[in-house]
Amino acid sequence: MNIPEIKVVPTPADIAAEAAERLAVICEWAIGDHGNFSVVLSGGSTPKALHALLAAEPYKSRIDWAKVRVFFGDERCVPPDHPDSNYRMANETLLSKVPIPPDNVYRMEGEIEPAVAADRYEEHLSDLFGEAGGPDLCLLGLGDDGHTASLFPHTPALKETTRGCVAQFVEKSTTGQSWRITLTAPFINRSRQVLFLVAGQNKARALQQILEGDRNPEHCPAQLIAPAMGQLTWLIDVAAAEMAE
Ligand code: 6PG
């Protein structure tokens, strides 16, 4: 694994600007290299500013959306029009505003039985990435408890070593008790590039634990993210970086 890159920028808007440019550059490279760009979108609120930049000029025209394939890092097990749905957030802030073919958007089906949804997503991943391939870019957020995607502390998904996608019931998620569908660390670690977007003082303690603390992924699942052949980058604002040296 390459040495993680850590870039501290002043504000959340700077995170979005830096991430948009990096995504566009990786997209152009990937399309030139293998004809398409596969990107995993993160849930939560931090990505909204990035999505707004991608849905507007110059990125709206610069990105060849017909060759972009969108995946999701995780999903809450709710219908796609539910306020908690990560798909709904992505659709409202980005996907409905750019000319991406609907078939290029691989939604986790939060409205059906979680285990069935995870199995169906697992099939998509296997069909598109085979047994060893991975996304060109995986965007991730970080919870103040050290979770990423829906890999929450002390949950079974942290121990998954073979599947790329699983469903699990989470007692303490960002939306309370909830069923979740999530990509697993082994699959995320097959990405060419992993980009964490982390903003806000409330993430500072978790970030310090990840970057400088003892290795304890059960307690701090984001420590599981270590792309085997890819590049891991932390894009953090000054507030989130305040406890790290
Ligand atoms: C989710 C996300 C989750 C998110 C973090 C950070 O479904 O909630 O995938 O992993 O990235 O909780 O969320 P914020 O960006 O809202 O702080």
Side-chain angles (χ1 to χ4, degrees):
M1 174 190 156
N2 300 326
I3 296 172
E5 175 193 9
I6 300 169
K7 181 157 188 177
V8 181
V9 295
T11 68
D14 296 309
I15 290 177
E18 179 78 19
E21 183 58 25
R22 285 173 181 246
L23 183 147
V25 168
I26 298 164
C27 176
E28 288 155 356
W29 172 84
I31 290 171
D33 180 68
H34 48 270
N36 62 67
F37 168 59
S38 53
V39 57
V40 175
L41 298 183
S42 171
S45 57
T46 303
K48 292 179 181 176
L50 166 61
H51 293 179
L53 291 178
L54 297 174
E57 299 303 345
Y59 293 108
K60 181 173 181 178
S61 299
R62 178 172 164 190
I63 291 170
D64 186 353
W65 296 100
K67 294 176 182 165
V68 175
R69 289 173 178 165
V70 165
F71 301 84
F72 291 82
D74 70 324
E75 186 56 279
R76 294 82 179 272
C77 292
V78 294
D81 60 354
H82 188 284
D84 286 348
S85 167
N86 286 334
Y87 168 80
R88 171 173 158 172
M89 182 275 283
N91 190 47
E92 286 180 347
T93 57
L94 176 60
L95 302 176
S96 62
K97 299 179 175 182
V98 295
I100 187 168
D103 287 350
N104 286 23
V105 178
Y106 296 84
R107 183 175 67 84
M108 292 176 167
E109 296 167 281
E111 70 278 22
I112 68 175
E113 172 65 30
V116 174
D119 286 347
R120 286 164 67 163
Y121 215 75
E122 179 81 9
E123 285 173 28
H124 284 320
L125 298 178
S126 180
D127 290 348
L128 291 163
F129 297 107
E131 295 311 309
D136 293 306
L137 174 62
C138 183
L139 295 167
L140 291 174
L142 177 71
D144 58 11
D145 61 354
H147 84 264
T148 191
S150 281
L151 302 170
F152 286 89
H154 313 296
T155 57
L158 305 188
K159 296 185 174 57
E160 179 59 49
T161 57
T162 54
R163 286 178 61 104
C165 181
V166 296
Q168 67 174 359
F169 183 75
V170 181
E171 289 286 346
K172 291 184 180 176
S173 83
T174 43
T175 53
Q177 288 188 341
S178 71
W179 274 95
R180 297 290 185 101
I181 302 161
T182 186
L183 295 184
T184 62
F187 181 79
I188 292 169
N189 287 336
R190 288 164 41 182
S191 303
R192 284 189 170 87
Q193 304 230 16
V194 176
L195 189 57
F196 273 96
L197 308 186
V198 185
Q201 189 180 22
N202 64 316
K203 311 293 178 73
R205 184 170 302 283
L207 200 58
Q208 182 191 36
Q209 172 66 28
I210 293 159
L211 299 180
E212 302 169 354
D214 296 336
R215 183 166 173 76
N216 182 0
E218 272 293 307
H219 178 70
C220 192
Q223 288 182 334
L224 290 171
I225 306 307
M229 305 297 287
Q231 177 61 50
L232 171 61
T233 296
W234 292 88
L235 264 184
I236 55 185
D237 70 357
V238 166
E242 72 172 13
M243 291 178 72
E245 285 181 7

